[in-house]
Amino acid sequence: MTSTKKRKLEGSASESGNNTPILSAFAARQQLWAQSLVVQAQKQPQSVDNSKHVTERRSATPISAAQVLRKSKRKSPEDSPITPATPATPVETEEEKPSKPSSPRELLRHHSSFQPNNSNFQRKAGGRLVLSTPDVERFVILGNYGVKVHQGEVTIAGATLTPIDDVQWVHAPHCHALPVLRTANDTVIELLPCPTAQGLRELARLNPLFGRLWNETSDTFQIIYTSADAPKRTSLRELASHPAWNKKISELLTSTRRKPSPILFICGPKSSGKSTFGRLLTNRLMTDRAGHKSRSWKPVMVLDLDPGQPEFSPPGVVSLTKLRRPNLAPPFCHPGLSFGEKGLDGGNEGMTTVRMHAIASVTPALDPAHFIACARDLFAYYRRSASQENIPLVVNTPGWIQGTGLDLLAELIAVLRPTEVLYMSEDGPEETVSALREACASSSTIPFTMLPSQPNSSGEGGGGGAASWTPATLRSMAMQSYFHLSPFSRDQQGGPGCEWNPTPLTHLCPWRVRLAGRPDERGVLGIVCYDHQYAPELVSDAINGMVMGLVRIEKKEALRGLAVPGDTSLSFTSSTSQGGCDDELDSDSNSSSAPSFTSSSPSHLNSTPLLPLIPNPTGSPLSPQYTSLVGLVLIRGVSLTASNPELHLLTPVPPSVLHSFRGDELVLVAGKFDAPTWAYVEGLYWKSNSKAAKRVDEEREDEDREESGGVEEEEEQDEVPWVEMLHGSAGRDVGSRVWRVRRDLGRS
């Protein structure tokens, strides 16, 4: 039975005698535009003898952006403007001209409105581009680039840039929505290639997920004029801000000018645009000059309470971050920030990690009480830091809005007491909205605003297909990017930001952490397990190849009820698995009583020492009031020799930070971090993608074949840690082999 609305539409169509299908406004505009192109093509003369008319026709005929760049490189010197051209629009040759209007799907999609010509486009040395825009223009740029405003004003991802601002670096992969750069009248900007783009792009040699994310040209960025300029088999998506979002952000800016230090609480369902809205809001709050063009940016703090999709930290971590420059990159392009000049706080960096806590899981469900305690501690730290500077706070929350997740949101509202709660959905659920309104009413009548979800939201990575960029995929990319950060890079104000080392982790020098010997030789106090408790004899196998948190014990009360550790000193040694690259990092020790570690072994394992496991029968996490996270580590290997048991760790934490702590101040925390499966196959991908490695392997195979008399031997397993290469049923138990059904099964 059809609905009333459907019968009405059918009746109106039949009465008018028009069988044209009903189109949306956008589809109708595209169809009219296609028809106008065909009419114009039919009106143009087939041949023109006058050279003047030929010149006019060429200048009016659109050409593609790729042709513009080819002409500039072929005809123009490096410091001269390019050949005049018009923006890329659909071009039809005599063979490709259709006899009827093309369908909207076959038409090119316009992204950039800029028309490069002799006077507004200049290519400088080093891949720099100088663009002049007398009128308002929009640019969609794919890749890694810097933006410097020489004249006028530019807006990008909510941030407003002027000539007094330093170069702002943008990372725009197509797995996320591309930010749109808009210029005002009489604006001159310079686009610069990113010096750290090569290291980030070379991560594709270690993981295919990082492949085909950027432009395919030799430069680190490319202006996308139409969809024809995009990489093949790629669907680009522009960063869109809903009109209701823009109106609300403008209202918040006005209220912020009257009332300093606002606390804006953003919540909502998964994939509703919480992170996108928070990024736009943060950039607007920071770069708002309130009509004073010479006023410098004001810092903004972000309380990131989403351990599954964090913005400024690796997964499984909640953090408090201080921003002094706009956020113009996706999370995996800044997974770990600068530690500052004074350890974990201070310094003049554009983005500074103020404080972190390890949830040790990608969801607060592991321990909701610990999650609330971490939020309380981070908020208290913000109160102490912002009391003198009047810094706004933006709170990002998980997308868990039902059941226990709803209770957590209500409790967070009661704890933080924000100035306004922003719910990123107008579709409910009704019970969630009612509970949040009640929580706001019970906490001094906090304003509650419902905003529409992100347009066409299909997850954070909708640009290359939602099925390809799932939250789990983006978490894996963020974690791999974090561990490949260069520990010696500095995120200076105006600098290019993070730097990456594309070398496989198995080829890096690990830190050797000694676990026995004199108190001044020990590297960490011990190992604490959240939730599940491993048997002492199984700890080494359970943590090998896993991610753990390196937590600093700020006060001994954090270990109350677990152990009474003695004072030891930090003794990290950086070396390879063969014992090279030694670098002792010793400090003075104040030893007293030895810690009560679980170090006894069963009678049949007396010859094998065990790891120093701190007893935690209830599985309770360490109190965030007395602890803080230094960083995450990857257990590269475990050496349980009787004379010198030690752990081999990989971490991007700078050596200067590790030098600043003693051994009795550090513990390793094991929880439910995602298994780093990406780390297990880095060496295999790198080996298959590296031509040099292939040549070395071929020469090695020839030498081995000659030594073995022509008999091929299996590949050495010690070259790829954590991974065992099995061929067929070799190395498998009988029960784990694949059962094959005979074709004549059941026949008589």
Side-chain angles (χ1 to χ4, degrees):
M1 182 175 181
T2 59
S3 63
T4 304
K5 185 176 181 181
K6 186 175 182 180
R7 287 199 303 270
K8 183 177 180 180
L9 292 174
E10 291 175 351
S12 61
S14 61
E15 291 174 2
S16 61
N18 185 9
N19 296 326
T20 303
I22 300 174
L23 300 177
S24 64
F26 177 77
R29 286 195 300 269
Q30 293 281 21
Q31 188 175 21
L32 291 175
W33 180 66
Q35 294 174 357
S36 64
L37 286 179
V38 175
V39 172
Q40 293 177 3
Q42 293 175 354
K43 290 182 179 180
Q44 289 181 353
Q46 297 297 328
S47 62
V48 181
D49 297 332
N50 193 337
S51 60
K52 178 179 179 180
H53 293 286
V54 172
T55 305
E56 293 178 354
R57 183 183 178 186
R58 288 179 179 176
S59 62
T61 303
I63 64 175
S64 65
Q67 293 173 338
V68 173
L69 296 179
R70 284 198 296 269
K71 288 184 178 181
S72 66
K73 294 180 180 179
R74 182 175 64 253
K75 297 183 179 181
S76 304
E78 201 167 34
D79 289 330
S80 63
I82 67 169
T83 305
T86 55
T89 53
V91 179
E92 298 173 351
T93 61
E94 294 296 333
E95 299 178 355
E96 297 175 349
K97 279 187 178 180
S99 58
K100 58 182 180 179
S102 303
S103 63
R105 294 184 179 179
E106 298 176 357
L107 299 177
L108 296 179
R109 180 182 178 185
H110 291 259
H111 291 285
S112 299
S113 64
F114 180 69
Q115 301 179 10
N117 55 44
N118 186 45
S119 60
N120 62 12
F121 188 109
Q122 290 185 344
R123 184 179 295 275
K124 298 293 185 179
R128 298 178 293 118
L129 300 180
V130 178
L131 311 176
S132 302
T133 60
D135 301 322
V136 176
E137 301 286 357
R138 74 192 310 266
F139 298 84
V140 176
I141 306 175
L142 176 65
N144 319 86
Y145 60 97
V147 180
K148 174 59 181 174
V149 181
H150 295 290
Q151 177 182 327
E153 188 177 89
V154 166
T155 60
I156 178 172
T160 302
L161 310 180
T162 61
I164 67 173
D165 302 324
D166 295 328
V167 177
Q168 299 304 311
W169 300 97
V170 185
H171 296 282
H174 71 74
C175 63
H176 289 69
L178 300 182
V180 180
L181 188 149
R182 293 178 173 86
T183 63
N185 294 329
D186 299 327
T187 299
V188 178
I189 62 173
E190 182 179 0
L191 302 180
L192 301 89
C194 181
T196 62
Q198 187 65 23
L200 178 60
R201 296 187 177 205
E202 286 188 358
L203 293 181
R205 300 173 59 189
L206 310 178
N207 191 340
L209 293 176
F210 289 93
R212 298 182 58 82
L213 294 181
W214 316 96
N215 56 301
E216 298 177 344
T217 62
S218 58
D219 299 326
T220 64
F221 64 93
Q222 176 187 2
I223 300 177
I224 305 298
Y225 295 94
T226 68
S227 54
D229 299 323
K232 297 180 180 179
R233 296 182 298 275
T234 299
S235 177
L236 300 183
R237 184 166 59 97
E238 298 178 7
L239 180 61
S241 179
H242 197 280
W245 292 14
N246 299 332
K247 180 180 179 181
K248 188 60 184 179
I249 292 177
S250 299
E251 295 176 358
L252 294 174
L253 287 178
T254 303
S255 61
T256 301
R257 296 167 186 170
R258 297 193 304 262
K259 184 179 180 180
S261 302
I263 302 174
L264 304 175
F265 189 91
I266 303 175
C267 58
K270 296 180 180 179
S271 301
S272 60
K274 297 187 300 297
S275 299
T276 303
F277 180 80
R279 192 178 306 126
L280 296 174
L281 175 61
T282 302
N283 293 341
R284 287 286 297 274
L285 289 173
M286 182 184 307
T287 61
D288 177 46
R289 293 183 168 91
H292 303 279
K293 296 184 178 180
S294 60
R295 178 179 295 179
S296 59
W297 291 341
K298 56 184 178 182
V300 178
M301 283 193 174
V302 177
L303 179 56
D304 197 348
L305 300 179
D306 187 359
Q309 297 289 322
E311 182 72 26
F312 299 108
S313 63
V317 176
V318 294
S319 63
L320 178 65
T321 304
K322 188 175 184 179
L323 305 181
R324 296 182 180 88
R325 70 181 184 208
N327 176 18
L328 304 176
F332 73 87
C333 293
H334 48 69
L337 301 179
S338 173
F339 290 89
E341 299 293 341
K342 301 179 181 179
L344 292 177
D345 191 12
N348 297 318
E349 288 73 15
M351 299 182 180
T352 304
T353 302
V354 178
R355 192 172 177 85
M356 296 185 295
H357 290 301
I359 301 297
S361 175
V362 297
T363 172
L366 179 65
D367 195 331
H370 178 60
F371 174 76
I372 295 295
C374 292
R376 285 178 179 273
D377 179 75
L378 295 176
F379 182 68
Y381 206 93
Y382 159 76
R383 281 297 193 191
R384 294 192 295 268
S385 303
S387 59
Q388 300 177 354
E389 302 183 53
N390 295 326
I391 302 177
L393 178 67
V394 178
V395 183
N396 184 35
T397 58
W400 189 16
I401 60 171
Q402 293 181 334
T404 306
L406 179 57
D407 297 336
L408 291 177
L409 291 178
E411 189 168 355
L412 286 175
I413 293 175
V415 170
L416 306 181
R417 293 186 177 274
T419 55
E420 187 164 354
V421 174
L422 305 170
Y423 186 75
M424 303 302 300
S425 177
E426 293 179 337
D427 302 326
E430 183 178 354
E431 60 273 12
T432 300
V433 175
S434 300
L436 293 178
R437 287 186 183 275
E438 183 179 354
C440 293
S442 60
S443 300
S444 304
T445 315
I446 300 173
F448 181 84
T449 304
M450 298 179 64
L451 296 175
S453 299
Q454 185 177 10
N456 300 325
S457 62
S458 56
E460 278 293 330
S468 303
W469 311 105
T470 62
T473 300
L474 296 176
R475 278 200 306 269
S476 176
M477 295 173 64
M479 188 68 81
Q480 187 170 13
S481 175
Y482 172 80
F483 277 98
H484 281 276
L485 288 175
S486 175
F488 303 101
S489 64
R490 300 295 298 169
D491 190 16
Q492 298 288 350
Q493 178 73 17
C498 302
E499 298 180 7
W500 288 266
N501 183 1
T503 306
L505 296 181
T506 54
H507 292 63
L508 298 179
C509 298
W511 292 98
R512 294 171 52 194
V513 182
R514 289 191 287 269
L515 304 174
R518 298 189 309 271
D520 59 343
E521 295 179 346
R522 223 169 248 174
V524 295
L525 189 62
I527 299 173
V528 180
C529 296
Y530 289 0
D531 192 49
H532 179 71
Q533 301 299 304
Y534 300 106
E537 62 273 12
L538 301 179
V539 174
S540 60
D541 294 330
I543 68 173
N544 190 13
M546 299 300 291
V547 174
M548 301 181 69
L550 184 63
V551 176
R552 177 191 179 189
I553 304 298
E554 299 175 343
K555 292 184 179 181
K556 299 300 183 181
E557 287 80 358
L559 298 172
R560 184 176 299 171
L562 299 181
V564 184
D567 292 333
T568 60
S569 63
L570 179 64
S571 180
F572 280 97
T573 304
S574 176
S575 69
T576 60
S577 56
Q578 289 80 17
C581 304
D582 290 341
D583 182 17
E584 291 288 338
L585 303 179
D586 295 330
S587 61
D588 296 334
S589 62
N590 298 316
S591 61
S592 57
S593 59
S596 56
F597 295 142
T598 303
S599 58
S600 60
S601 58
S603 57
H604 63 284
L605 296 175
N606 286 334
S607 59
T608 303
L610 300 182
L611 298 179
L613 179 65
I614 298 178
N616 187 14
T618 61
S620 302
L622 301 176
S623 173
Q625 185 178 358
Y626 309 115
T627 61
S628 62
L629 179 68
V630 177
L632 299 185
V633 300
L634 177 63
I635 306 300
R636 172 68 170 78
V638 181
S639 177
L640 294 179
T641 59
S643 59
N644 187 23
E646 60 185 16
L647 293 176
H648 294 178
L649 308 181
L650 294 171
T651 180
V653 179
S656 59
V657 176
L658 297 178
H659 273 281
S660 61
F661 303 127
R662 302 192 312 270
D664 64 339
E665 295 180 318
L666 300 175
V667 296
L668 291 173
V669 170
K672 291 186 177 180
F673 292 101
D674 286 341
T677 54
W678 48 266
Y680 306 154
V681 293
E682 278 189 353
L684 298 176
Y685 281 123
W686 180 82
K687 183 179 179 181
S688 62
N689 294 329
S690 176
K691 296 181 180 180
K694 288 182 180 180
R695 289 195 297 267
V696 172
D697 291 342
E698 291 174 357
E699 295 174 358
R700 185 180 301 174
E701 290 177 359
D702 294 338
E703 295 175 358
D704 295 340
R705 193 177 293 109
E706 293 176 359
E707 294 177 359
S708 59
V711 180
E712 295 186 0
E713 297 182 358
E714 294 184 358
E715 185 180 359
E716 296 182 3
Q717 301 299 321
D718 56 356
E719 295 182 359
V720 184
W722 305 308
V723 177
E724 181 182 2
M725 303 294 292
L726 301 180
H727 302 278
S729 300
R732 302 178 186 268
D733 296 334
V734 176
S736 63
R737 297 177 182 176
V738 179
W739 286 38
R740 301 181 181 275
V741 180
R742 296 178 57 186
R743 294 189 177 185
D744 59 350
L745 185 64
R747 295 182 180 181
S748 57

